[in-house]
Amino acid sequence: MRDTISLALNVFADFMPDLLPDQHRADYVFLANISPDLQRHVLDQVASPKVVAADTMNHWIANDRAALVRLLPRIDILTLNDEEARMLSGEHNLVKAGHAIIKMGPDTVLVKRGEYGVLQFSKDAMFAVPAYPLEEVIDPTGAGDTFAGAFMGYIARKGVINESVLRTAVVYGCVMGSFVVEQFSVNRIASLTWEDIELRYRAFIELTDSHHSRWTSQ
Amino acid sequence: MRDTISLALNVFADFMPDLLPDQHRADYVFLANISPDLQRHVLDQVASPKVVAADTMNHWIANDRAALVRLLPRIDILTLNDEEARMLSGEHNLVKAGHAIIKMGPDTVLVKRGEYGVLQFSKDAMFAVPAYPLEEVIDPTGAGDTFAGAFMGYIARKGVINESVLRTAVVYGCVMGSFVVEQFSVNRIASLTWEDIELRYRAFIELTDSHHSRWTSQ
């Protein structure tokens, strides 16, 4: 597996993404999971981004840590999974890990826990959501990237970051992630309507409604 | 391990709990995790319980399934972990497992997922809560029983079961479970004040507040 990853990386060793002119003026930048030096190379081309998010993984934390650590102060929002949060921070406890990573640069850290949901850490608040429990999961491929796309899309639509926007963005990320795993490839996403999305968003809010504003009237 | 469990069970083979007269009139009954026949023996002694909850485990599902299945129609609320929900229902998917167990008798099924929280299934609703993320976990022993005690205590205080009461009871269960693991034995619980409990309850509500009633004003 390690050999396969190394091979794949060597194949792309000359990959050096150059943005199109329009993209130099992007307000919202999501640096998907690739070498931290390439993430920096992309970010350097954006004149004045309002929000920068980045994804990373165990491979870069283990093998390109210095470049990743240099990048972190330029990142507003970092996404990674629980094991990666532990690796990056050196803290086994996730609460300590989240706060340690915030000290490395990002204002917000999203710890993705697959079927168990997402933990969001910021300096003054924690937010925890479960994944939407599905009756059938066909293929989990792409759930993380779909989450990130919906999350960034919501933030871009609001045009501002605060705790409320971040929380709603996480929920829309979970909602869209819950759709993509219901079929192979992008088939489920391609057939979605806005109504499908809003219905599941509302179902998600009911699922997690622990102070039961809806239920108290019963 | 299996031998150890069998030995422990043989030692208690003659154990036949008889309730005290006051307990025969109990309104709220929680049948902790023991043989389903002993759970039934206890329940038979209670004249007219308003709410009956029960815990069970893999051992009884595998080795005493018939007795457990006979007991389930007399149970309002069943608690078990995710693997046990799969074993009991024969469904790998937890949503299907929850609904299959409801068809076996209980109105409500609480699937305990340790550090990942609790999934509550009832006929018309699902509720998901994370565990409260702690900076330090000293000893997880007793978290499940503390959860159950707080859960039943809240229901008994309200004197009625509906979705709102169940959800709040689950949250108080998680809150109390989060305290007990912070120290060995009952040391943390023994030193708690009502204010400690209410503060963490409010922290828990903020942690899970995905429709951000508190945050929208920011």
Side-chain angles (χ1 to χ4, degrees), chain B residues 7-167:
Chain B
L7 179 65
L9 295 172
N10 284 331
V11 167
F12 292 108
D14 295 329
F15 177 57
M16 191 58 71
D18 289 322
L19 300 186
L20 298 169
D22 270 6
Q23 296 170 329
H24 294 165
R25 297 187 295 275
D27 285 329
Y28 302 92
V29 177
F30 180 73
L31 303 166
N33 177 22
I34 200 166
S35 129
D37 278 328
L38 283 187
Q39 290 177 316
R40 182 185 46 74
H41 175 76
V42 169
L43 186 54
D44 284 345
Q45 299 170 59
V46 184
S48 56
K50 286 169 70 173
V51 177
V52 179
D55 192 27
T56 192
M57 72 183 287
N58 49 7
H59 178 84
W60 312 116
I61 298 168
N63 301 309
D64 214 353
R65 184 182 175 84
L68 178 59
V69 167
R70 274 196 305 276
L71 181 71
L72 289 179
R74 300 176 63 188
I75 304 299
D76 300 302
I77 302 160
L78 183 69
T79 73
L80 70 186
N81 75 25
D82 36 10
E83 275 318 303
E84 291 157 356
R86 292 180 170 119
M87 275 179 78
L88 179 58
S89 65
E91 294 280 2
H92 179 77
N93 179 281
L94 276 186
V95 180
K96 289 180 181 168
H99 292 140
I101 295 169
I102 286 172
K103 287 193 181 139
M104 299 168 85
D107 290 324
T108 303
V109 176
L110 295 181
V111 178
K112 299 178 287 184
R113 304 202 280 181
E115 66 169 309
Y116 299 114
V118 175
L119 266 178
Q120 173 181 289
F121 295 97
S122 49
K123 194 159 170 286
D124 302 316
M126 271 192 303
F127 177 45
V129 278
Y132 190 79
L134 293 167
E135 290 224 11
E136 195 144 42
V137 174
I138 300 292
D139 178 12
T141 308
D145 287 323
T146 305
F147 171 90
F151 174 84
M152 286 302 284
Y154 185 79
I155 288 175
R157 193 169 78 173
K158 300 303 278 188
V160 62
I161 285 197
N162 58 38
E163 185 69 24
S164 169
V165 169
L166 283 168
R167 287 179 179 220

Side-chain angles (χ1 to χ4, degrees), chain A residues 16 31 35 40 43 50 53 58 64 75 94 101-102 112 119 126 130-131 165 179-180 211:
Chain A
M16 191 59 69
L31 303 167
S35 129
R40 182 185 47 76
L43 186 54
K50 287 168 69 172
N58 49 8
D64 215 352
I75 303 300
L94 276 186
I101 295 170
I102 286 173
K112 299 178 288 185
L119 265 178
M126 272 192 303
V165 169
F179 281 122
V180 80
H211 61 344

Side-chain angles (χ1 to χ4, degrees), chain A residues 5-6 11 14 30 41 173:
Chain A
I5 289 174
S6 299
V11 167
D14 296 329
F30 180 73
H41 174 75

Side-chain angles (χ1 to χ4, degrees), chain A residues 93 134 167-168 206 208 210, chain B residues 93 134 167 206 208 210 212:
Chain A
N93 179 280
L134 294 166
R167 288 179 180 220
T168 305
E206 281 182 25
T208 59
S210 58
Chain B
N93 179 281
L134 293 167
R167 287 179 179 220
E206 282 183 25
T208 59
S210 59
H212 54 79

